[in-house]
Amino acid sequence: MAKTVTTRLADGYVKKIDEMAARKGIDRSALLRSFFLGALKEHTIRDSLEDYKAGATTLWEAAQRCNLSLWEMIREVKRAHIHTSYDLKEFEKDLRALNG
Protein backbone atom coordinates (compact mmCIF):
# COMPACT_ATOMS: atom_id res chain seq x y z
CA MET A 1 0.00 0.00 0.00
CA ALA A 2 1.31 3.42 -0.92
CA LYS A 3 1.98 5.95 1.82
CA THR A 4 2.07 9.70 1.67
CA VAL A 5 5.42 11.32 2.42
CA THR A 6 5.75 15.07 2.90
CA THR A 7 8.67 17.48 2.88
CA ARG A 8 9.12 21.22 3.01
CA LEU A 9 10.72 23.12 0.15
CA ALA A 10 11.36 26.79 -0.43
CA ASP A 11 8.83 28.56 -2.66
CA GLY A 12 11.38 28.96 -5.45
CA TYR A 13 11.93 25.21 -5.68
CA VAL A 14 8.20 24.51 -5.67
CA LYS A 15 7.75 27.00 -8.50
CA LYS A 16 10.47 25.29 -10.56
CA ILE A 17 8.94 21.88 -9.87
CA ASP A 18 5.49 23.10 -10.90
CA GLU A 19 6.89 24.64 -14.09
CA MET A 20 8.69 21.43 -15.03
CA ALA A 21 5.62 19.33 -14.26
CA ALA A 22 3.49 21.60 -16.47
CA ARG A 23 6.02 21.29 -19.35
CA LYS A 24 5.90 17.51 -19.01
CA GLY A 25 2.10 17.45 -18.72
CA ILE A 26 2.11 15.72 -15.33
CA ASP A 27 1.21 16.80 -11.83
CA ARG A 28 3.65 17.78 -9.10
CA SER A 29 3.27 14.46 -7.27
CA ALA A 30 4.11 12.42 -10.36
CA LEU A 31 7.21 14.52 -11.05
CA LEU A 32 8.44 14.33 -7.45
CA ARG A 33 7.80 10.56 -7.40
CA SER A 34 9.90 10.25 -10.56
CA PHE A 35 12.69 12.33 -8.99
CA PHE A 36 12.62 10.36 -5.76
CA LEU A 37 12.61 6.93 -7.37
CA GLY A 38 15.42 7.91 -9.76
CA ALA A 39 17.53 9.26 -6.91
CA LEU A 40 16.80 6.19 -4.78
CA LYS A 41 17.98 3.89 -7.58
CA GLU A 42 21.08 6.03 -8.18
CA HIS A 43 22.03 6.04 -4.48
CA THR A 44 21.39 2.31 -4.14
CA ILE A 45 23.69 1.62 -7.09
CA ARG A 46 26.36 3.99 -5.76
CA ASP A 47 26.25 2.45 -2.26
CA SER A 48 26.36 -1.06 -3.71
CA LEU A 49 29.33 -0.15 -5.90
CA GLU A 50 31.15 1.22 -2.86
CA ASP A 51 30.44 -1.99 -0.94
CA TYR A 52 31.62 -4.09 -3.89
CA LYS A 53 34.80 -2.04 -4.26
CA ALA A 54 35.51 -2.43 -0.53
CA GLY A 55 35.00 -6.19 -0.77
CA ALA A 56 31.99 -6.10 1.56
CA THR A 57 29.67 -7.65 -1.01
CA THR A 58 29.92 -9.77 -4.13
CA LEU A 59 28.99 -8.54 -7.56
CA TRP A 60 25.90 -10.75 -7.53
CA GLU A 61 24.80 -9.46 -4.10
CA ALA A 62 25.26 -5.90 -5.30
CA ALA A 63 23.19 -6.63 -8.41
CA GLN A 64 20.40 -8.14 -6.33
CA ARG A 65 20.34 -5.15 -3.98
CA CYS A 66 20.01 -2.86 -6.99
CA ASN A 67 17.43 -5.06 -8.71
CA LEU A 68 19.75 -5.37 -11.71
CA SER A 69 20.92 -8.35 -13.69
CA LEU A 70 24.51 -9.43 -13.23
CA TRP A 71 25.36 -8.02 -16.67
CA GLU A 72 23.74 -4.69 -15.84
CA MET A 73 25.76 -4.55 -12.63
CA ILE A 74 28.94 -5.32 -14.56
CA ARG A 75 28.15 -2.34 -16.80
CA GLU A 76 27.72 -0.16 -13.69
CA VAL A 77 31.11 -1.35 -12.37
CA LYS A 78 32.73 -0.49 -15.71
CA ARG A 79 30.97 2.88 -15.82
CA ALA A 80 32.30 3.64 -12.32
CA HIS A 81 35.82 2.56 -13.38
CA ILE A 82 36.05 0.08 -10.51
CA HIS A 83 38.87 -2.39 -10.90
CA THR A 84 38.83 -5.23 -8.44
CA SER A 85 40.14 -8.73 -8.57
CA TYR A 86 37.27 -11.14 -9.00
CA ASP A 87 38.77 -14.30 -7.59
CA LEU A 88 37.66 -17.92 -7.67
CA LYS A 89 36.30 -17.71 -4.13
CA GLU A 90 33.98 -14.83 -5.05
CA PHE A 91 32.93 -16.62 -8.25
CA GLU A 92 32.01 -19.73 -6.27
CA LYS A 93 30.02 -17.64 -3.80
CA ASP A 94 28.13 -16.01 -6.67
CA LEU A 95 27.41 -19.42 -8.21
CA ARG A 96 26.01 -20.68 -4.90
CA ALA A 97 23.80 -17.60 -4.66
CA LEU A 98 22.54 -18.12 -8.21
CA ASN A 99 21.71 -21.77 -7.54
CA GLY A 100 19.88 -20.95 -4.32
Side-chain angles (χ1 to χ4, degrees):
M1 178 174 186
K3 295 195 180 221
T4 300
V5 177
T6 60
T7 190
R8 296 184 193 283
L9 295 172
D11 290 341
Y13 290 124
V14 174
K15 182 179 177 189
K16 288 180 180 187
I17 289 167
D18 288 342
E19 289 169 356
M20 184 179 285
R23 280 194 310 275
K24 292 180 175 281
I26 58 177
D27 64 20
R28 181 191 300 163
S29 292
L31 182 65
L32 290 174
R33 188 171 25 260
S34 171
F35 286 168
F36 176 77
L37 294 175
L40 182 60
K41 181 176 182 175
E42 178 183 321
H43 282 266
T44 301
I45 290 170
R46 188 181 66 218
D47 291 349
S48 296
L49 289 171
E50 288 174 9
D51 289 346
Y52 174 68
K53 185 176 182 179
T57 187
T58 68
L59 191 59
W60 176 247
E61 290 166 341
Q64 284 185 311
R65 188 183 318 156
C66 298
N67 199 28
L68 297 175
S69 72
L70 189 56
W71 291 111
E72 289 169 325
M73 197 68 209
I74 290 169
R75 278 193 291 275
E76 293 295 333
V77 167
K78 286 181 182 178
R79 188 176 296 131
H81 304 288
I82 295 173
H83 303 283
T84 61
S85 59
Y86 187 70
D87 62 13
L88 182 59
K89 204 175 196 183
E90 188 174 347
F91 176 70
E92 289 170 344
K93 187 176 178 184
D94 282 344
L95 279 178
R96 283 192 300 276
L98 281 170
N99 291 325

